[in-house]
Amino acid sequence: MAGLTIRGVTKSYGETQVMHGVDLDIEDGEFVVYVGPSGCGKSTLLRMIAGLEEISGGEISIGDRVVNEVAPSKRGVAMVFQTYALYPHMSVYNNMAFGLKQIKTPKDEIDRRVREAAKILHIEEYLERTPRALSGGQRQRVAIGRAIVREPDVFLFDEPLSNLDAALRGQTRLEIARLHERLGVTMIYVTHDQVEAMTLADKIVVLRDGRVEQVGRPMDLYNTPQNLFVASFIGSPAMNFFKAEMNKDGVFIGGKAPVTKAVEAAGGVTVGLRPEHLIPCEESEAFVSGKLELVEQLGDHELLHLVREDSSEFVAKMEFLADKKRGEALYFKAAEDRIHLFDSKSEQRL
Amino acid sequence: MAVVSQNTTFSKVFWPAVAWSVAIIFFFPIFWMVFTSFKTDADAVKPEFLFFFTPTLENYTNMTENYDYWRFAINSVITATFATIFALVVGVPAAYAMAFNPSRATKDVLMWMLSTKMLPAAAVLYPMTFLTKNFLDIYDTHFLIIVVLCLINLPIVIWMLFTYFKEIPKEIIEAGKMDGVDTWGEIKDILIPLAWGGVASTALLCFIFCWNEAYWTVRLTTTEAATLSKLIEGNRAPEGLFFGRLSAVSTAAVGPIVVLGWFCQKQLVQGLTFGAVK
Ligand SMILES: Nc1ncnc2c1ncn2[C@@H]1O[C@H](COP(=O)(O)OP(=O)(O)OP(=O)(O)O)[C@@H](O)[C@H]1O
Ligand SMILES: [Mg+2]
């Protein structure tokens, strides 16, 4: 059992620096998810914790031990790879037992642990097969099983579900959540799927270009994103942004002022509104309006794609709205605490 | 329709005919060698016995009784086997290092290794003979032949192994690191089992090259470490007299390697066309 401390960690490949001083505290037993766009350094950070990538600067501690110079297998971490990385020439049983054999675990102890892990993951029938003879989902379980038997302090997952189809992804996601519940150990999980991030995480770390943009509980990130990047990255469909006008009465994006207090922002104000927080209303109450361009039916709700007068677009998410025609003008308001204000220049929350 | 069927009949006959002709042209010298080995030296040069003659095993019995065929054969086996083993012992770790821990220099090192094959062997004939004879005193020893065979094949061995190892996903090796295997364990428990087809065909090819090597084995031996290449060379009379005998010796020299290649054909083809991993 151990938490994790990352202090000023940097990473360079030759001349190019890809991590620019990351600080992070992860508590014992926490489920932490790294999200961010492709190439932002999620895998790199994870692999530095695993010991597969050298740490160019700063310090990583697991528990109260600095592990910069410790071999991967001695760090008390286990990793689940995106490509599973099972040993193709070994049976499922031996895939799981391999690590334990390396540290000369007694045979019956190995057997006990492998069978227990197989039971948790429902792969008991496949123990004698080789990975070749398994489906993608089963292989993924074996990969998780291989991590479990080593009883690590920290589990590392690098996009473990990205090679699975949608149904299996949902199911395996749930199983990983259960596993975390059951084992209660620290888990660090990399994904660029923000649904996975929101549902699994105790704490989400949003990364961009080798820097931490924001750290917080999923609902904190959803409710109070600290900057435009986090605001646009968390939530689906993505948040709408509107260039706003300011005067002493408040902030306008056309129509009525949604925020009726004076705001200080050197670089101008950008208003953020999530599609699900737009409420249809009368023209007199509205502070944003647009002509209906397209409706996406999703069964329980629909997404309205609208175009404003200045031809910028936004999206509203609603339950069924009767009698809409293409080109019709629709009017929206929103609760004041659902309105996000950002400085357009610094991109920080106001 | 007519055109199409005409076309297919044509290609059904024409291309196989071309293929067979080419194959026969290539195979003919070998056929002729085996054929001639059953003629007496006298018959071998007479035009009237070109195809019709009384076959004899005289050349073969003569070879084993008078020219000590087995000693040459055993030398060939010893030198080719040990040279292959040493080439793998050096080549596997070298290829492993370059495939999984590449540096900026890796490409250049590989090219440099290959470039050693571009040096004409004749250019170093004098220093090699002089040094091994007068200086190191290892001329005509098994040791010398093994070292030479090993070294001249090492570049190809490393290249081949490198390409096979490159095919193995890096994550599998990394999973091994997470599981706590050391470098030797990675090679023994993960790399070699996974690249088994590739390692085997590399070994086989290296063995064949060693067996067939003639430039150095002929020039750096006299009797002690002389291989089958030397035996053939020794029976090559400049006047072209003993064709029957020469053919028998040559047949007996290439025979074992052809049989070996035949048995390992599947392995070789599989290894050389990759797809052995995954
Ligand atoms: N071996 C390497 N040499 C040079 N640059 C590298 C190397 N490995 C990764 N990088 C760079 O480091 C940055 C971070 O890569 P990383 O793989 O951590 O991204 P990621 O967030 O995991 O992306 P993805 O979501 O696509 O997996 C990228 O810009 C990448 O180009
Ligand atoms: Mg990645």
Side-chain angles (χ1 to χ4, degrees):
Chain A
M1 294 276 147
L4 219 110
T5 320
I6 298 174
R7 284 283 166 269
V9 162
T10 61
K11 175 73 190 175
S12 307
Y13 291 104
E15 299 286 287
T16 37
Q17 188 166 357
V18 296
M19 302 296 304
H20 307 269
V22 170
D23 292 297
L24 202 58
D25 288 290
I26 295 171
E27 275 159 46
D28 185 15
E30 224 171 5
F31 199 121
V32 175
V33 175
Y34 295 166
V35 287
S38 192
C40 68
K42 307 180 293 289
S43 299
T44 305
L45 189 54
L46 197 73
R47 290 164 54 81
M48 283 197 279
I49 297 171
L52 295 172
E53 211 73 70
E54 224 169 288
I55 300 162
S56 307
E59 248 179 31
I60 294 180
S61 319
I62 298 175
D64 40 21
R65 184 170 63 128
V66 177
V67 293
N68 285 37
E69 302 298 329
V70 179
S73 61
K74 304 258 157 65
R75 295 187 180 195
V77 301
M79 178 137 167
V80 177
F81 294 84
Q82 179 176 357
T83 53
Y84 318 133
L86 299 174
Y87 309 118
H89 58 297
M90 294 183 200
S91 68
V92 167
Y93 185 98
N94 285 331
N95 259 283
M96 295 206 269
F98 189 66
L100 296 176
K101 283 181 191 159
Q102 300 306 315
I103 48 170
K104 307 266 181 308
T105 315
K107 263 219 163 64
D108 43 344
E109 171 71 7
I110 294 181
D111 196 63
R112 190 186 63 74
R113 287 206 215 171
V114 169
R115 290 192 190 282
E116 195 181 303
K119 198 163 159 193
I120 297 175
L121 295 163
H122 311 292
I123 48 174
E124 288 158 297
E125 308 113 87
Y126 314 127
L127 284 178
E128 296 313 318
R129 291 200 202 166
T130 57
R132 206 184 308 255
L134 299 179
S135 72
Q138 290 160 346
R139 284 180 205 184
Q140 188 54 273
R141 286 159 200 269
V142 177
I144 295 172
R146 181 168 68 180
I148 292 177
V149 294
R150 295 186 48 218
E151 300 182 352
D153 297 325
V154 181
F155 277 85
L156 307 173
F157 295 90
D158 194 353
E159 308 203 26
L161 308 185
S162 58
N163 286 342
L164 303 180
D165 65 47
L168 207 51
R169 201 151 55 218
Q171 191 188 330
T172 315
R173 194 174 73 209
L174 207 65
E175 273 169 37
I176 291 177
R178 284 206 193 101
L179 193 67
H180 179 241
E181 197 94 318
R182 175 174 185 146
L183 302 175
V185 299
T186 313
M187 290 187 175
I188 305 177
Y189 186 105
V190 166
T191 181
H192 53 239
D193 180 329
Q194 50 114 358
V195 177
E196 271 172 40
M198 293 295 283
T199 51
L200 285 171
D202 294 322
K203 185 148 97 187
I204 294 181
V205 178
V206 183
L207 290 166
R208 173 166 67 157
D209 292 341
R211 291 191 176 81
V212 174
E213 291 285 325
Q214 190 173 353
V215 180
R217 288 175 301 167
M219 284 318 280
D220 292 344
L221 297 194
Y222 180 82
N223 289 328
T224 49
Q226 282 311 308
N227 54 46
L228 280 177
F229 177 76
V230 176
S232 64
F233 198 79
I234 299 289
S236 167
M239 189 185 276
N240 299 304
F241 295 106
F242 304 95
K243 194 120 200 57
E245 317 263 314
M246 285 181 296
N247 66 22
K248 61 176 176 22
D249 296 328
V251 179
F252 301 83
I253 46 178
K256 201 167 158 271
V259 179
T260 49
K261 60 171 195 230
V263 177
E264 293 267 333
V269 179
T270 297
V271 171
L273 277 172
R274 294 197 183 278
E276 57 270 38
H277 295 149
L278 288 173
I279 307 166
C281 64
E282 296 301 319
E283 182 170 2
S284 57
E285 294 177 291
F287 47 73
V288 56
S289 66
K291 285 204 165 70
L292 184 62
E293 194 193 36
L294 186 82
V295 181
E296 281 183 285
Q297 268 304 341
L298 293 165
D300 62 330
H301 66 270
E302 53 193 22
L303 295 181
L304 311 181
H305 293 259
L306 299 121
V307 185
R308 297 174 67 213
E309 233 144 60
D310 61 359
S311 77
S312 62
E313 295 169 22
F314 67 100
V315 179
K317 179 179 171 182
M318 358 233 76
E319 284 175 23
F320 184 66
L321 203 64
D323 296 333
K324 296 174 306 283
K325 284 195 288 293
R326 224 193 123 156
E328 187 180 338
L330 294 175
Y331 302 92
F332 300 94
K333 61 180 182 178
E336 181 142 3
D337 62 346
R338 296 300 199 183
I339 297 165
H340 306 274
L341 297 179
F342 301 96
D343 186 317
S344 303
K345 192 100 167 263
S346 70
E347 303 196 345
Q348 295 302 308
R349 186 182 188 85
L350 294 170
Chain B
M1 279 309 282
V3 177
V4 172
S5 71
Q6 206 178 12
N7 226 340
T8 49
T9 328
F10 174 74
S11 57
K12 255 186 199 157
V13 175
F14 180 74
W15 290 114
V18 170
W20 275 103
S21 315
V22 171
I24 287 169
I25 290 170
F26 274 104
F27 181 70
F28 186 75
I30 296 166
F31 162 76
W32 197 248
M33 176 184 79
V34 178
F35 200 60
T36 311
S37 73
F38 295 108
K39 298 178 183 176
T40 62
D41 285 334
D43 287 354
V45 289
K46 287 186 194 145
E48 61 269 33
F49 292 123
L50 206 55
F51 286 106
F52 305 101
F53 62 96
T54 333
T56 168
L57 284 176
E58 183 188 316
N59 289 318
Y60 287 97
T61 47
N62 196 8
M63 181 178 76
T64 45
E65 278 161 20
N66 299 339
Y67 309 123
D68 219 355
Y69 168 81
W70 292 112
R71 193 164 56 82
F72 290 97
I74 287 168
N75 279 345
S76 272
V77 171
I78 291 175
T79 52
T81 305
F82 280 96
T84 303
I85 291 172
F86 289 137
L88 287 180
V89 166
V90 177
V92 168
Y96 162 82
M98 287 193 288
F100 294 106
N101 301 298
S103 75
R104 242 168 289 178
T106 301
K107 270 227 163 75
D108 298 331
V109 171
L110 277 166
M111 273 324 288
W112 168 74
M113 284 183 188
L114 207 64
S115 73
T116 60
K117 297 295 290 179
M118 297 170 195
L119 185 73
V124 289
L125 177 60
Y126 172 67
M128 278 295 281
T129 324
F130 177 78
L131 285 175
T132 53
K133 226 178 200 160
N134 305 339
F135 201 70
L136 296 169
D137 199 20
I138 50 172
Y139 186 82
D140 193 22
T141 57
H142 289 103
F143 172 76
L144 173 64
I145 298 304
I146 289 169
V147 168
V148 168
L149 290 179
C150 175
L151 288 181
I152 59 180
N153 284 307
L154 205 48
I156 289 170
V157 166
I158 293 179
W159 262 84
M160 281 184 71
L161 290 173
F162 175 78
T163 34
Y164 293 121
F165 291 172
K166 260 271 175 269
E167 293 270 297
I168 296 175
K170 199 164 172 248
E171 283 85 13
I172 294 182
I173 301 291
E174 288 176 343
K177 284 202 167 69
M178 299 298 300
D179 269 342
V181 286
D182 52 14
T183 308
W184 170 235
E186 273 170 37
I187 293 178
K188 178 173 66 78
D189 294 332
I190 300 174
L191 194 65
I192 294 195
L194 278 184
W196 177 242
V199 174
S201 36
T202 307
L204 198 63
L205 210 65
C206 180
F207 186 85
I208 292 172
F209 286 167
C210 290
W211 185 279
N212 294 344
E213 210 287 329
Y215 189 85
W216 293 111
T217 47
V218 166
R219 285 167 180 77
L220 295 178
T221 60
T222 45
T223 48
E224 269 311 300
T227 64
L228 286 170
S229 305
K230 184 83 177 178
L231 178 64
I232 298 176
E233 174 70 18
N235 279 284
R236 188 179 58 85
E239 316 83 52
L241 282 181
F242 312 112
F243 274 148
R245 196 170 88 193
L246 181 59
S247 296
V249 168
S250 305
T251 306
V254 299
I257 208 73
V258 170
V259 171
L260 180 71
W262 188 272
F263 277 117
C264 304
Q265 198 182 25
K266 200 175 141 217
Q267 183 66 260
L268 254 179
V269 170
Q270 219 173 44
L272 291 177
T273 52
F274 302 97
V277 195
K278 283 170 208 153

